[in-house]
mmCIF file with all atom_site columns, all heavy atoms in Angstrom:
data_model
loop_
_atom_site.group_PDB
_atom_site.id
_atom_site.type_symbol
_atom_site.label_atom_id
_atom_site.label_alt_id
_atom_site.label_comp_id
_atom_site.label_asym_id
_atom_site.label_entity_id
_atom_site.label_seq_id
_atom_site.pdbx_PDB_ins_code
_atom_site.Cartn_x
_atom_site.Cartn_y
_atom_site.Cartn_z
_atom_site.occupancy
_atom_site.B_iso_or_equiv
_atom_site.pdbx_formal_charge
_atom_site.auth_seq_id
_atom_site.auth_comp_id
_atom_site.auth_asym_id
_atom_site.auth_atom_id
_atom_site.pdbx_PDB_model_num
ATOM 1  N N   . PHE A 1 4   ? -16.712 41.544 -5.457  1.00 96.00 ? 31  PHE A N   1
ATOM 2  C CA  . PHE A 1 4   ? -16.437 42.901 -4.971  1.00 96.00 ? 31  PHE A CA  1
ATOM 3  C C   . PHE A 1 4   ? -15.383 43.455 -5.938  1.00 96.00 ? 31  PHE A C   1
ATOM 4  O O   . PHE A 1 4   ? -14.274 42.856 -6.096  1.00 96.00 ? 31  PHE A O   1
ATOM 5  C CB  . PHE A 1 4   ? -15.872 42.860 -3.562  1.00 96.00 ? 31  PHE A CB  1
ATOM 6  C CG  . PHE A 1 4   ? -16.799 42.235 -2.503  1.00 96.00 ? 31  PHE A CG  1
ATOM 7  C CD1 . PHE A 1 4   ? -16.860 40.947 -2.177  1.00 96.00 ? 31  PHE A CD1 1
ATOM 8  C CD2 . PHE A 1 4   ? -17.865 43.075 -1.948  1.00 96.00 ? 31  PHE A CD2 1
ATOM 9  C CE1 . PHE A 1 4   ? -17.676 40.349 -1.289  1.00 96.00 ? 31  PHE A CE1 1
ATOM 10 C CE2 . PHE A 1 4   ? -18.687 42.536 -1.002  1.00 96.00 ? 31  PHE A CE2 1
ATOM 11 C CZ  . PHE A 1 4   ? -18.687 41.153 -0.724  1.00 96.00 ? 31  PHE A CZ  1
ATOM 12 N N   . ASP A 1 8   ? -15.972 52.640 -11.846 1.00 95.00 ? 35  ASP A N   1
ATOM 13 C CA  . ASP A 1 8   ? -15.932 54.161 -11.888 1.00 95.00 ? 35  ASP A CA  1
ATOM 14 C C   . ASP A 1 8   ? -15.351 54.678 -10.609 1.00 95.00 ? 35  ASP A C   1
ATOM 15 O O   . ASP A 1 8   ? -15.935 55.696 -10.117 1.00 95.00 ? 35  ASP A O   1
ATOM 16 C CB  . ASP A 1 8   ? -17.330 54.714 -12.201 1.00 95.00 ? 35  ASP A CB  1
ATOM 17 C CG  . ASP A 1 8   ? -17.917 54.207 -13.577 1.00 95.00 ? 35  ASP A CG  1
ATOM 18 O OD1 . ASP A 1 8   ? -17.071 53.984 -14.393 1.00 95.00 ? 35  ASP A OD1 1
ATOM 19 O OD2 . ASP A 1 8   ? -19.151 54.071 -13.644 1.00 95.00 ? 35  ASP A OD2 1
ATOM 20 N N   . PRO A 1 53  ? -19.040 8.622  -8.148  1.00 82.00 ? 80  PRO A N   1
ATOM 21 C CA  . PRO A 1 53  ? -20.213 8.613  -9.130  1.00 82.00 ? 80  PRO A CA  1
ATOM 22 C C   . PRO A 1 53  ? -21.210 7.542  -8.723  1.00 82.00 ? 80  PRO A C   1
ATOM 23 O O   . PRO A 1 53  ? -20.842 6.493  -8.264  1.00 82.00 ? 80  PRO A O   1
ATOM 24 C CB  . PRO A 1 53  ? -19.429 8.251  -10.460 1.00 82.00 ? 80  PRO A CB  1
ATOM 25 C CG  . PRO A 1 53  ? -18.034 8.580  -10.275 1.00 82.00 ? 80  PRO A CG  1
ATOM 26 C CD  . PRO A 1 53  ? -17.711 8.376  -8.772  1.00 82.00 ? 80  PRO A CD  1
ATOM 27 N N   . ARG A 1 196 ? -27.908 3.906  16.149  1.00 98.00 ? 223 ARG A N   1
ATOM 28 C CA  . ARG A 1 196 ? -27.515 3.002  15.076  1.00 98.00 ? 223 ARG A CA  1
ATOM 29 C C   . ARG A 1 196 ? -26.277 3.688  14.459  1.00 98.00 ? 223 ARG A C   1
ATOM 30 O O   . ARG A 1 196 ? -26.347 4.869  13.926  1.00 98.00 ? 223 ARG A O   1
ATOM 31 C CB  . ARG A 1 196 ? -28.664 2.962  14.067  1.00 98.00 ? 223 ARG A CB  1
ATOM 32 C CG  . ARG A 1 196 ? -28.261 1.949  12.904  1.00 98.00 ? 223 ARG A CG  1
ATOM 33 C CD  . ARG A 1 196 ? -29.373 1.841  11.899  1.00 98.00 ? 223 ARG A CD  1
ATOM 34 N NE  . ARG A 1 196 ? -30.476 1.026  12.419  1.00 98.00 ? 223 ARG A NE  1
ATOM 35 C CZ  . ARG A 1 196 ? -31.729 1.483  12.603  1.00 98.00 ? 223 ARG A CZ  1
ATOM 36 N NH1 . ARG A 1 196 ? -32.019 2.686  12.330  1.00 98.00 ? 223 ARG A NH1 1
ATOM 37 N NH2 . ARG A 1 196 ? -32.636 0.665  13.089  1.00 98.00 ? 223 ARG A NH2 1
ATOM 38 N N   . THR A 1 219 ? -6.412  8.668  4.278   1.00 97.00 ? 246 THR A N   1
ATOM 39 C CA  . THR A 1 219 ? -5.916  7.359  3.979   1.00 97.00 ? 246 THR A CA  1
ATOM 40 C C   . THR A 1 219 ? -6.134  6.457  5.306   1.00 97.00 ? 246 THR A C   1
ATOM 41 O O   . THR A 1 219 ? -6.526  5.276  5.168   1.00 97.00 ? 246 THR A O   1
ATOM 42 C CB  . THR A 1 219 ? -4.395  7.394  3.637   1.00 97.00 ? 246 THR A CB  1
ATOM 43 O OG1 . THR A 1 219 ? -4.255  8.206  2.510   1.00 97.00 ? 246 THR A OG1 1
ATOM 44 C CG2 . THR A 1 219 ? -3.840  6.048  3.321   1.00 97.00 ? 246 THR A CG2 1
ATOM 45 N N   . GLU A 1 231 ? -14.070 -6.661 10.899  1.00 96.00 ? 258 GLU A N   1
ATOM 46 C CA  . GLU A 1 231 ? -14.498 -7.198 12.201  1.00 96.00 ? 258 GLU A CA  1
ATOM 47 C C   . GLU A 1 231 ? -15.998 -7.407 12.194  1.00 96.00 ? 258 GLU A C   1
ATOM 48 O O   . GLU A 1 231 ? -16.562 -7.796 13.252  1.00 96.00 ? 258 GLU A O   1
ATOM 49 C CB  . GLU A 1 231 ? -14.206 -6.140 13.270  1.00 96.00 ? 258 GLU A CB  1
ATOM 50 C CG  . GLU A 1 231 ? -12.701 -6.000 13.578  1.00 96.00 ? 258 GLU A CG  1
ATOM 51 C CD  . GLU A 1 231 ? -12.370 -4.690 14.269  1.00 96.00 ? 258 GLU A CD  1
ATOM 52 O OE1 . GLU A 1 231 ? -13.178 -4.169 15.019  1.00 96.00 ? 258 GLU A OE1 1
ATOM 53 O OE2 . GLU A 1 231 ? -11.160 -4.173 14.103  1.00 96.00 ? 258 GLU A OE2 1
ATOM 54 N N   . ALA A 1 338 ? -5.789  56.387 -6.887  1.00 93.00 ? 365 ALA A N   1
ATOM 55 C CA  . ALA A 1 338 ? -5.297  56.684 -8.172  1.00 93.00 ? 365 ALA A CA  1
ATOM 56 C C   . ALA A 1 338 ? -4.089  55.848 -8.516  1.00 93.00 ? 365 ALA A C   1
ATOM 57 O O   . ALA A 1 338 ? -3.330  55.424 -7.566  1.00 93.00 ? 365 ALA A O   1
ATOM 58 C CB  . ALA A 1 338 ? -4.941  58.137 -8.287  1.00 93.00 ? 365 ALA A CB  1
ATOM 59 N N   . ILE A 1 352 ? -11.359 49.830 20.785  1.00 96.00 ? 379 ILE A N   1
ATOM 60 C CA  . ILE A 1 352 ? -11.411 49.116 21.998  1.00 96.00 ? 379 ILE A CA  1
ATOM 61 C C   . ILE A 1 352 ? -10.133 49.259 22.940  1.00 96.00 ? 379 ILE A C   1
ATOM 62 O O   . ILE A 1 352 ? -9.025  49.498 22.386  1.00 96.00 ? 379 ILE A O   1
ATOM 63 C CB  . ILE A 1 352 ? -11.642 47.628 21.713  1.00 96.00 ? 379 ILE A CB  1
ATOM 64 C CG1 . ILE A 1 352 ? -13.250 47.410 21.512  1.00 96.00 ? 379 ILE A CG1 1
ATOM 65 C CG2 . ILE A 1 352 ? -11.221 46.703 22.941  1.00 96.00 ? 379 ILE A CG2 1
ATOM 66 C CD1 . ILE A 1 352 ? -13.611 46.016 21.283  1.00 96.00 ? 379 ILE A CD1 1
ATOM 67 N N   . PRO A 1 411 ? -30.325 43.720 11.495  1.00 98.00 ? 438 PRO A N   1
ATOM 68 C CA  . PRO A 1 411 ? -30.180 45.127 11.870  1.00 98.00 ? 438 PRO A CA  1
ATOM 69 C C   . PRO A 1 411 ? -29.142 45.338 12.950  1.00 98.00 ? 438 PRO A C   1
ATOM 70 O O   . PRO A 1 411 ? -28.959 44.444 13.754  1.00 98.00 ? 438 PRO A O   1
ATOM 71 C CB  . PRO A 1 411 ? -31.622 45.561 12.418  1.00 98.00 ? 438 PRO A CB  1
ATOM 72 C CG  . PRO A 1 411 ? -32.541 44.431 12.131  1.00 98.00 ? 438 PRO A CG  1
ATOM 73 C CD  . PRO A 1 411 ? -31.670 43.198 11.912  1.00 98.00 ? 438 PRO A CD  1
#
Side-chain angles (χ1 to χ4, degrees):
F31 298 93
D35 300 329
R223 180 177 287 118
T246 303
E258 291 162 27
I379 281 186

